[in-house]
Amino acid sequence: MLRVARALLAVRDPLDAELVVGRMLGAWWGQRIPGMSGADLERHLTEGLIAHATASGTPAGLALLSGIASLGVSAHRRELAEQGVLALTDRGDLRRPAWAEAVGRVRPLGAYLSGDRFGDADEVVCTFRHDSDPGGPDAPGHALIAVIDHNAGGVLRDAWVTTKVERLLEHGRALAEDDPMAVFHPLAPARARTLLERALAGTDLVVSGAPGERPARLTAAREADLIGGSLGAHHALLRSRVRALPAEGRPAGEPVWRRDARATLAARFLASDEAAELSDSYAASRCVDHVIGYGCDVDAGRPMRVSPRKVETFLLTWLPRRVVLLPEESEAMPHVLGAWIRWAGPRAGLPEPAVGAALDALWDSFEAFGRTYRDPAEALGLGRREIRRLLPDGDLAALPRRMFAFPLLAGDLLDRAEDGFDPTTPEGRRALLRLDHFGEIDVPEGPPGRHAVDGGRSGRIGRASSAQADLDAHERLAVRLWHGDPPELWAAAQRLLDQGRSRPEVLLTLLDALDGGGDGDPRLLLSRLRALG
């Protein structure tokens, strides 16, 4: 790295220096090794590079430290680099590069939003200048362009820098005038910062690859699509420029759709002429609930947005991974989605050719949907009755943790009294957990600590509580696993299972994390869970 950093000694322009340092820091962005997360690896390598550059005592090391002091991803690393700069300059025989005073110190001039009326992606364009840039005080020196992909859950898809700012802005304005589908308009710099910070947060969740911690809206975002390209090379510079933008006083959040508002929207659609040809009203109602839920929860609260890419992502990526459909619903879904496109597209302001393009994407995806969507009951060897018990909300992503929480789902006793073993009700949960916890329906009597979560085969380990208290604790854990609250709970369980721990051992470990004071203190609970495994 220090050999590469020698190039910084020949640089004169601060932007060129920032691009070189940003590419160096981006070399390991998003990379991971076994036993270490991407964030930990980035921290160790960056702090190791800072220490090595400080110890080198060379002009190249000083130049590299000067760049990291401005572009370091965290305040701690920037402070470490600044301490290294001071340590080397105090010696008196080394001098900081000419660009060091200007690097990272920019003045934001303006921001713009570019895209199209489909709304699949937004290009956020922010213009800046260093004080040393040529031209007048208001002449932009460079522009940073960041692409936010809404079909992938609002993550950053790409980023780059250009010094041809006037040409870029003229192109955007001309395209908006000539193309009725194009969008280009000014954006408040503070609003641009809010949009970019949200996109960065989502991107970090994808790149970290932490199991169980990704929100549902990031289903279509894949780590391999984000790292290794221009986004990695510019992510340090992008964060530096976001910090330079003014903060928004009261950021407007994404629209929140309550259950009653979603039901009203579904009723309006089902009463429309476009939905009149749908033969199975029950299946249509279930399907449109998923369409609306996807728009509200994944597409930034925009259920009415229609586009060819959104159709493909919903039908071929999100739906097969997140939702369980009955056979009749699977058959009806493409037809319901087609009616929704014809109904919602014009109401969202799309011209007829754009609505037609979305319909073409739907019918082009019809065959692929039949191949992609598979009934999880068949794939996992579960019966339809068990799937209904575990997934009354159709959330396929919840299936593994709910199977872990309630493994006893089949049997003559459960089939004869199906309503009595419903895990969505307190009574049903209690009955299932009595079977799982004690191996019998009734809570047995006995001295404290005799009973186990595996039907009494292994015994409670180091727990001085009554059988009833054990069952209460098990139920609190099962409810948390059912809802995925917090996501770190199932992530910790997966790590322990990967180590070869048995299910009873994992349950007892999780119960200890809850009983150790974490159940009432969210921060303490998260700390305990992240330390497991």
Side-chain angles (χ1 to χ4, degrees):
M1 279 290 186
L2 287 182
R3 285 196 295 269
V4 177
R6 292 173 186 170
L8 292 169
L9 302 177
V11 169
R12 295 292 179 265
D13 187 83
L15 178 61
D16 291 337
E18 290 170 327
L19 291 172
V20 172
V21 174
R23 281 193 291 270
M24 295 174 69
L25 295 178
W28 47 71
W29 180 68
Q31 304 299 322
R32 293 198 304 277
I33 59 176
M36 184 176 292
S37 68
D40 287 339
L41 179 63
E42 183 180 7
R43 175 174 57 83
H44 281 293
L45 289 177
T46 305
E47 293 181 6
L49 178 61
I50 293 172
H52 182 57
T54 303
S56 72
T58 62
L62 178 57
L64 179 57
L65 290 169
S66 299
I68 298 176
S70 295
L71 298 185
V73 172
S74 72
H76 177 64
R77 278 165 245 172
R78 295 194 295 273
E79 178 63 26
L80 287 178
E82 187 61 38
Q83 292 174 5
V85 169
L86 294 175
L88 293 183
T89 54
D90 285 346
R91 291 172 30 177
D93 58 341
L94 293 178
R95 185 173 298 175
R96 299 179 71 181
W99 47 259
E101 293 299 326
V103 69
R105 295 175 173 84
V106 294
R107 180 161 55 90
L109 298 180
Y112 305 85
L113 191 69
S114 179
D116 61 38
R117 292 172 64 181
F118 281 130
D120 294 308
D122 288 329
E123 294 184 3
V124 180
V125 181
C126 300
T127 59
F128 304 89
R129 67 172 283 110
H130 294 93
D131 290 338
S132 59
D133 288 339
D138 295 325
H142 62 277
L144 175 72
I145 303 95
V147 181
I148 302 175
D149 188 344
H150 295 294
N151 289 317
V155 300
L156 287 169
R157 180 67 66 181
D158 201 358
W160 69 94
V161 173
T162 181
T163 57
K164 300 177 181 178
V165 180
E166 292 299 335
R167 183 181 301 180
L168 174 70
L169 300 181
E170 289 175 4
H171 174 74
R173 296 185 186 104
L175 190 62
E177 292 178 1
D178 298 337
D179 185 351
M181 288 294 293
V183 173
F184 186 85
H185 59 77
L187 186 67
R191 186 60 185 166
R193 175 169 179 161
T194 298
L195 296 177
L196 293 173
E197 285 179 336
R198 288 176 180 168
L200 279 168
T203 306
D204 288 341
L205 283 175
V206 176
V207 172
S208 70
E213 296 182 5
R214 288 161 51 104
R217 67 176 299 168
L218 298 176
T219 299
R222 297 182 302 175
E223 176 189 357
D225 295 336
L226 305 181
I227 64 175
S230 63
L231 182 58
H234 291 87
H235 94 282
L237 178 60
L238 172 60
R239 293 175 189 274
S240 174
R241 292 298 184 266
V242 169
R243 292 193 298 269
L245 292 170
E248 197 169 13
R250 292 185 176 180
E254 295 176 353
V256 176
W257 286 75
R258 298 187 304 274
R259 183 176 300 178
D260 56 345
R262 300 183 190 202
T264 299
L265 184 60
R268 287 172 52 200
F269 163 71
L270 293 171
S272 68
D273 293 339
E274 289 81 359
E277 298 180 359
L278 300 174
S279 56
D280 188 335
S281 59
Y282 176 77
S285 176
R286 294 272 296 179
C287 289
V288 77
D289 285 344
H290 295 311
V291 175
I292 294 173
Y294 176 80
C296 294
D297 300 330
V298 180
D299 190 23
R302 300 183 296 176
M304 300 291 286
R305 186 178 77 84
V306 169
S307 83
R309 278 192 58 205
K310 181 178 179 179
V311 167
E312 294 172 355
T313 303
F314 168 74
L315 203 60
L316 303 182
T317 302
W318 186 82
L319 199 64
R321 297 181 186 178
R322 299 291 305 187
V323 175
V324 177
L325 298 174
L326 297 173
E328 57 270 23
E329 295 167 0
S330 177
E331 182 179 348
M333 178 58 79
H335 304 285
V336 175
L337 186 54
W340 176 267
I341 292 170
R342 292 191 296 272
W343 181 77
R347 286 166 175 78
L350 286 185
E352 184 176 348
V355 174
L359 289 171
D360 289 342
L362 169 64
W363 304 127
D364 289 343
S365 303
F366 190 93
E367 183 178 352
F369 175 70
R371 295 193 308 267
T372 302
Y373 191 85
R374 291 289 182 267
D375 187 344
E378 297 178 3
L380 297 173
L382 297 174
R384 174 59 59 179
R385 179 177 297 174
E386 287 75 41
I387 288 291
R388 285 201 304 268
R389 283 176 179 161
L390 284 172
L391 303 176
D393 51 3
D395 185 1
L396 185 57
L399 184 59
R401 69 172 188 268
R402 291 179 182 176
M403 289 181 67
F404 177 80
F406 297 99
L408 301 178
L409 294 164
D412 293 339
L413 175 63
L414 274 67
D415 292 341
R416 287 196 303 269
E418 181 176 0
D419 294 340
F421 295 95
D422 182 357
T424 63
T425 66
E427 297 78 11
R429 282 197 302 269
R430 201 76 171 176
L432 284 170
L433 291 176
R434 282 197 295 267
L435 282 175
D436 182 30
H437 198 75
F438 304 114
E440 55 190 73
I441 294 180
D442 296 323
V443 178
E445 296 181 358
R450 284 184 52 189
H451 307 294
V453 294
D454 60 346
R457 290 186 291 274
S458 65
R460 293 286 285 180
I461 301 174
R463 190 174 295 278
S465 59
S466 67
Q468 191 67 47
D470 286 347
L471 183 60
D472 291 341
H474 193 180
E475 183 177 10
R476 290 195 299 271
L477 174 60
V479 171
R480 281 184 174 274
L481 287 167
W482 179 274
H483 294 290
D485 176 30
E488 288 82 0
L489 184 65
W490 176 233
Q494 289 175 284
R495 291 195 299 271
L496 295 171
L497 291 169
D498 289 342
Q499 293 176 1
R501 308 273 191 96
S502 67
R503 177 177 177 270
E505 291 175 327
V506 174
L507 286 172
L508 290 176
T509 302
L510 297 178
L511 284 169
D512 285 335
L514 293 178
D515 291 349
D519 201 10
D521 185 343
R523 290 176 297 180
L524 178 59
L525 176 59
L526 293 182
S527 176
R528 288 177 175 272
L529 292 174
R530 287 166 179 163
L532 295 178

